[in-house]
Amino acid sequence: MSSLAFLFDRAVSTLRQYPITISTVVVFFLVAYTLIARRFFHLRNIPGPWWACYTRIWLLKTLASEDSPNRYIETNRKYGPLARIGPNHLITTDPEAFRRILAARTNYQRGRWFDSLRLDPHNANLISEREWPRHNRLRQQMAPGYDGKDIKDFEIGIDENLQQWIQYIEEHGVTHPGQPVKEFEIGRSIQYLVTDMICRLCFGRALGFIENHTDRHEFLQTLEQRLPIVEKFSIYTEVSTLISFISNIPWVNKVLPSAEDKNGIGRIIGICREIIDERLSPESQAKPPKNDMLDSFLKHGLSRREAELEMTISLFAGSDTTATSIRAILLHIMSNPLIYARLRQEIDDGIAEGTISTPALEEQVRKLPYLQACIREGLRIFPPITYLRERVTPPQGDILSGHFIPGGVNIGFNLPGLLLNPVFEPDARTFRPERWLETEPEKLRKMERVMDLVFGWGSTRCLGIRMANANQSL
C-alpha cells in the first residue's frame, strides 16, 4: 500500500507541476483514439472517400459544391451500392435496401436529418415528424385530402388555373408578326402556375401568382434562399437542436418566421392562419364546405395548429417539387427535336380523333403512351428530390447489400443514383422515353419496380402522388 500511495502522490505532484502539458497529451490521445476507432473499427467494412470517415466536412463540401447529386452518384459508382460518406453516415443506391428501410413495418427510425425541415422548432409536421405513432396518425388524417377523395372539383380547379396561365402566355409571351420580340421566362412562369394550383387545392383559392406573374410575398425567393441553409442544418443537426433550445428566449424567438411578417415564410404562415381562422368562424361553419384540402384536414381531426403547419409545408414542398419535375421534363422534350415531334404527333392525333378534349382530362392523358413515357423518363433522369432523407438503423443492427450495419447508423437515400440502376441499360443517363415502350414485359416490370421508389415506399410514400401526376400530365 505504501508503494501505491507513493506512486499516487507522485502522479498528483506531476499534474500540479505540468497541468497544461499533461492535459494536452491526454486530449491528443483521446482525439487520436477517436480517429483511429472511426477509421479502423466503426463501419470499417464499408468503403468510401478516405477522409469522410473522420468528419462531416466531406458532406458539407459536397453540398456546397451545388453538384451534390452527381457527387453522390460518382461515390456509389466508385465504392458500390453502399458507401460511407461520414463518420456515422452511409449512402445507398440498392433498391432492395430502399424497400427494406422504408417498409411499412420497418424497425428503422427517421434520423435527426428531418429536424431541419421543421417550420416550428417545437412542432413537427408530417414531413419532419420522427415519432411513428404521430406520423401515422397525421398521414391517415391527411390522406383523403391529398389523394383528392375529399376534393369534389379536384381536376376542375387545376384546369381553371391552367387556362388562366395559357391565356396569360398568349397575351404576354407570344410574339406576333410585326411586333418586337417578347422575352418570356417559361421556367419561372411554371413556378407561378404550380404555386397557384397548389394554393387552389389547399384552400380553395389562388394567391395571384399567375395573374400578377410576380413572386407574391417573396415566396419563391425565400424558398430558394432557405433550402441551401436547411441542407447544411441537415448535416450538422446540432444546429437544429440549438435553435429549438434558444428559441424559448423571447428576443431570440423574434428572428424566427412569424405570422406577422410581411414577406417570406412568415407571410405564408400568416395567410394560412387567416384562412383557417376564417374557415373555423361561426359564419363559415354555417356555409357549405369548400371541398379543398383544408376542409378535409379539419374534417378528419387536425387541430388548428396542425392544419396551419401542414398547409404551409404543403405549399412549400408541393410547389417546389412539382415545378422542378415539370421544368425538367419540358427541358428534355424541347431539347430533343425527334422526341418533341413524336409527342406533338401523338397529341395532334388524339385531338383529331376526338379522344383528347380541351382542356384534356386526366383519364385521357393517361392513355397517351408516349406522353406517359416522357413523364416517367423525365422523373428518372431528373428526380425532384435529391436530399438524403436519412434513416437510422435499429439497435440490433441490420444487413444491407451484404454488409452488417451496427445500430444507430445514418443511412441516406441516393435517389438519382438509384434511377441509373443497370436495369435501365448502359444508356441510363440518356433521356430516351422509348425505353418504356420497347422493353419486354419482364424487364419492364423490373424497371417499374425501381421507378416506383421515386415517390418513396411503405408508410412514408408521398401522399401527393395524384396531385403531382395530375399537374405534370395536364
Side-chain angles (χ1 to χ4, degrees):
M1 291 296 293
S2 60
S3 298
L4 290 175
F6 174 75
L7 290 174
F8 180 76
D9 289 340
R10 288 294 301 271
V12 171
S13 176
T14 302
L15 285 173
R16 288 174 177 172
Q17 291 178 2
Y18 308 103
I20 296 178
T21 303
I22 299 298
S23 299
T24 303
V25 171
V26 171
V27 170
F28 172 79
F29 276 105
L30 286 174
V31 171
Y33 172 78
T34 301
L35 293 177
I36 292 172
R38 285 179 175 178
R39 178 67 182 87
F40 296 104
F41 296 101
H42 186 60
L43 301 177
R44 65 185 181 277
N45 57 326
I46 311 297
W50 71 268
W51 62 285
C53 62
Y54 298 115
T55 173
R56 285 173 284 178
I57 293 177
W58 187 92
L59 272 167
L60 186 64
K61 184 180 179 183
T62 298
L63 287 176
S65 72
E66 298 186 358
D67 190 34
S68 58
N70 285 321
R71 295 200 177 189
Y72 294 146
I73 289 172
E74 292 307 315
T75 298
N76 279 120
R77 176 170 293 178
K78 182 176 181 179
Y79 298 103
L82 188 66
R84 186 178 185 180
I85 56 173
N88 198 42
H89 303 261
L90 304 178
I91 189 172
T92 181
T93 57
D94 184 349
E96 295 308 317
F98 270 63
R99 292 190 188 90
R100 182 174 180 82
I101 295 170
L102 297 175
R105 296 183 179 180
T106 182
N107 291 323
Y108 285 76
Q109 295 294 318
R110 283 182 163 185
R112 293 176 63 193
W113 184 94
F114 286 87
D115 291 344
S116 64
L117 301 178
R118 291 190 176 198
L119 297 176
D120 180 339
H122 306 289
N123 293 281
N125 51 66
L126 178 66
I127 293 178
S128 63
E129 180 58 64
R130 293 167 57 196
E131 298 297 329
W132 286 128
R134 184 169 184 270
H135 172 272
N136 293 337
R137 189 262 295 174
L138 286 172
R139 184 178 176 86
Q140 184 178 19
Q141 291 173 307
M142 296 166 63
Y146 268 108
D147 64 21
K149 290 181 180 178
D150 282 353
I151 304 179
K152 184 178 180 180
D153 300 326
F154 180 89
E155 193 169 349
I156 293 175
I158 292 177
D159 288 343
E160 289 179 354
N161 283 131
L162 187 62
Q163 288 176 317
Q164 183 186 14
W165 181 65
I166 292 173
Q167 182 178 351
Y168 185 94
I169 293 177
E170 290 175 344
E171 294 176 1
H172 303 280
V174 177
T175 301
H176 297 282
Q179 293 182 350
V181 175
K182 295 179 182 178
E183 294 184 1
F184 190 77
E185 188 180 348
I186 187 69
R188 180 62 81 178
S189 182
I190 288 173
Q191 285 185 293
Y192 298 151
L193 164 67
V194 173
T195 305
D196 261 354
M197 280 183 170
I198 301 296
C199 291
R200 173 71 179 266
L201 293 173
C202 281
F203 40 70
R205 71 182 193 221
L207 292 184
F209 284 85
I210 299 174
E211 180 182 0
N212 296 280
H213 245 68
T214 57
D215 184 8
R216 301 280 288 170
H217 314 296
E218 298 178 7
F219 174 81
L220 299 175
Q221 176 185 330
T222 301
L223 187 63
E224 291 163 358
Q225 289 177 344
R226 297 292 177 88
L227 281 179
I229 299 174
V230 168
E231 283 187 317
K232 310 306 184 295
F233 285 6
S234 69
I235 296 174
Y236 289 94
T237 55
E238 296 84 356
V239 176
S240 297
T241 303
L242 178 62
I243 290 175
S244 178
F245 175 74
I246 67 175
S247 62
N248 292 306
I249 304 173
W251 66 270
V252 173
N253 192 43
K254 292 181 179 179
V255 305
L256 298 174
S258 167
E260 284 70 42
D261 293 345
K262 301 300 181 183
N263 291 300
I265 296 176
R267 180 54 188 146
I268 300 302
I269 294 175
I271 291 172
C272 290
R273 180 173 298 179
E274 292 167 8
I275 293 172
I276 292 171
D277 288 344
E278 176 187 340
R279 194 69 58 89
L280 293 176
S281 67
E283 296 81 6
S284 181
Q285 293 289 307
K287 298 178 181 178
K290 297 288 186 180
N291 292 316
D292 53 25
M293 287 172 61
L294 174 57
D295 260 9
S296 176
F297 291 171
L298 295 173
K299 181 175 71 173
H300 290 281
L302 256 64
S303 68
R304 181 191 298 259
R305 181 56 176 163
E306 288 174 338
E308 181 182 306
L309 290 174
E310 298 302 341
M311 296 303 298
T312 305
I313 201 68
S314 294
L315 293 180
F316 277 94
S319 63
D320 181 65
T321 53
T322 306
T324 297
S325 298
I326 292 174
R327 291 187 295 179
I329 293 168
L330 285 179
L331 174 63
H332 284 88
I333 291 173
M334 292 187 294
S335 57
N336 288 272
L338 294 178
I339 293 174
Y340 178 81
R342 181 172 176 178
L343 180 58
R344 279 293 305 268
Q345 189 62 53
E346 181 179 69
I347 295 172
D348 290 342
D349 289 346
I351 294 174
E353 294 167 4
T355 57
I356 300 178
S357 60
T358 303
L361 300 177
E362 183 181 1
E363 61 182 24
Q364 296 172 342
V365 172
R366 291 187 180 279
K367 295 177 182 178
L368 298 177
Y370 197 68
L371 172 60
Q372 294 303 315
C374 287
I375 294 173
R376 279 186 177 182
E377 190 71 348
L379 289 172
R380 188 188 68 80
I381 288 287
F382 203 101
I385 297 177
T386 59
Y387 303 133
L388 296 182
R389 298 167 293 152
E390 292 176 333
R391 265 59 171 188
V392 180
T393 52
Q396 70 274 19
D398 199 8
I399 296 177
L400 296 174
S401 305
H403 296 281
F404 174 75
I405 315 299
V409 175
N410 298 297
I411 301 182
F413 299 112
N414 183 356
L415 184 58
L418 169 81
L419 297 174
L420 297 178
N421 188 279
V423 73
F424 297 110
E425 301 182 346
D427 68 342
R429 283 183 174 269
T430 302
F431 181 79
R432 188 169 66 85
E434 287 77 10
R435 77 175 75 248
W436 296 98
L437 305 174
E438 301 171 353
T439 304
E440 63 219 26
E442 183 178 351
K443 185 174 182 180
L444 180 61
R445 283 193 292 271
K446 293 179 180 179
M447 292 166 54
E448 291 173 338
R449 185 166 167 78
V450 174
M451 193 67 197
D452 280 345
L453 296 170
V454 168
F455 291 101
W457 194 255
S459 61
T460 58
R461 187 165 172 80
C462 177
L463 285 177
I465 294 176
R466 189 193 171 201
M467 186 187 301
N469 286 333
N471 284 327
Q472 291 162 9
S473 299
L474 299 176

